Amino acid sequence: MLKPTYVYCHYLIAEEGLLDEIDIPYIPGTGRGSRALLNDEPEHPNGSDMRGQQRVSGGYYLLTNLSSDDKMRYVSELPEKVGLECEFSGGW
């Protein structure tokens, strides 16, 4: 079964042109952290392995090993990059 964050990110890349709007590696928040949410290699910018990653459109890697709070915080940034909004409902 595909994880919702994978399906969501795949859609933003394939249908909304996300990769035209962000830098790779994409580091959420201020962009100064150590963990990439999306990268072209299955590793973080500091060279550590991206544990819990899943390959998405274009051969990029999405970090899926996140807590529910981190998923809501980090993943909600991506649609804003392509002019969309993100809402969460139900249990995460």
Side-chain angles (χ1 to χ4, degrees):
M1 178 191 304
L2 296 176
K3 294 182 180 184
T5 50
Y6 166 83
V7 173
Y8 169 78
C9 189
H10 177 79
Y11 169 79
L12 291 174
I13 290 170
E15 302 296 327
E16 299 293 337
L18 177 65
L19 296 176
D20 295 333
E21 304 299 326
I22 63 172
D23 293 326
I24 298 294
Y26 177 74
I27 301 170
T30 63
R32 295 182 295 218
S34 61
R35 295 192 325 165
L37 183 60
L38 194 61
N39 201 359
D40 56 0
E41 297 290 334
E43 62 185 31
H44 296 291
N46 65 6
S48 66
D49 288 338
M50 186 185 278
R51 293 190 318 240
Q53 47 77 22
Q54 193 164 11
R55 199 164 189 173
V56 294
S57 295
Y60 292 88
Y61 295 87
L62 174 69
L63 177 63
T64 57
N65 186 26
L66 297 167
S67 69
S68 294
D69 288 342
D70 284 345
K71 285 179 187 174
M72 289 178 73
R73 185 174 67 234
Y74 296 156
V75 175
S76 65
E77 292 179 16
L78 294 176
E80 293 175 2
K81 303 294 183 183
V82 294
L84 299 174
E85 293 182 13
C86 180
E87 292 182 20
F88 296 94
S89 63
W92 267 75

